[in-house]
Amino acid sequence: MRASGTLAPEWKVAQWFNTQQPLQLADLRGKVVVIHAFQMLCPGCVVHGLPQTQKIYNVFDANEVVVVGLHTVFEHHEVMTPQALEVFIHEYRYTFPIGVDQPDGQSGLPLTMRAYGMRGTPSLILIDHKGRLRKHSFGRDDDIQVGADIATLVSEAKAAPLAEAEDASGDDSCDEDKCTA
């Protein structure tokens, strides 16, 4: 997992599915965010990426990990409409929130895809509890590695309040070899 440390850009979504209200990245601070960018006509997305995303959604605690699908259409615009996506979501029984990446209005790269510098689909993005981009991959990711990466970020998020409390207390810090003030 590569840690860039840069804040993840807010996504631009035209429409949402499987959520009562629009999701904003800024509102998800404190949680790990998993974004799976896909196209419904992308074989790698249908065979690997989307099933993996549903598994992540089913396995991880929603209080710690937010899973979001992002339908980012950069080709075949005329057939990959929100109406077709709604049927696709229903037929495959996806239950995680899915946003439609905002088109640029000129049949070019959608706005979120462009902001994140995605090369295509499937793309997997992991954002830590502080809103920093921690993983950005293109293509198929191994399930076990993705699970380990998410678990690492969840552990970091759980440890953060403890570390902040220790820093605030001003107590000496000791390890096996030495103590520092």
Side-chain angles (χ1 to χ4, degrees):
M1 182 167 50
R2 117 190 115 147
S4 73
T6 61
L7 284 179
E10 187 64 60
W11 48 59
K12 307 283 190 223
V13 173
Q15 183 176 352
W16 285 97
F17 296 92
N18 295 339
T19 182
Q20 297 293 323
Q21 59 189 10
L23 302 177
Q24 297 292 323
L25 188 56
D27 296 336
L28 303 177
R29 291 278 165 84
K31 298 181 181 185
V32 173
V33 179
V34 177
I35 303 171
H36 173 72
F38 72 97
Q39 292 187 99
M40 62 185 156
L41 294 180
C42 163
C45 300
V46 174
V47 174
H48 302 290
L50 287 164
Q52 180 184 69
T53 304
Q54 185 66 56
K55 284 186 231 173
I56 294 167
Y57 181 77
N58 293 343
V59 168
F60 285 93
D61 183 344
N63 293 314
E64 298 172 339
V65 178
V66 176
V67 178
V68 176
L70 183 68
H71 190 239
T72 183
V73 179
F74 56 89
E75 60 187 353
H76 309 299
H77 297 272
E78 61 283 349
V79 295
M80 288 200 274
T81 64
Q83 296 80 12
L85 177 61
E86 184 173 25
V87 172
F88 177 83
I89 293 167
H90 174 75
E91 290 298 319
Y92 281 91
R93 295 176 174 81
Y94 294 126
T95 56
F96 52 90
I98 296 174
V100 176
D101 198 354
Q102 179 72 45
D104 74 345
Q106 301 171 4
S107 296
L109 291 180
L111 300 181
T112 306
M113 184 179 197
R114 185 178 300 151
Y116 278 84
M118 293 179 207
R119 297 183 323 183
T121 57
S123 285
L124 177 72
I125 295 169
L126 299 181
I127 299 169
D128 70 14
H129 69 285
K130 292 183 178 181
R132 298 174 302 187
L133 183 61
R134 296 291 296 272
K135 180 175 184 152
H136 184 180
S137 63
F138 171 57
R140 182 178 181 181
D141 284 289
D142 180 75
D143 287 350
I144 293 174
Q145 184 61 57
V146 171
D149 291 343
I150 294 168
T152 297
L153 295 178
V154 168
S155 293
E156 287 176 11
K158 286 180 178 179
L162 297 174
E164 290 168 9
E166 288 174 6
D167 289 344
S169 72
D171 291 343
D172 293 345
S173 176
C174 297
D175 63 22
E176 285 182 16
D177 297 325
K178 62 185 179 298
C179 292
T180 59

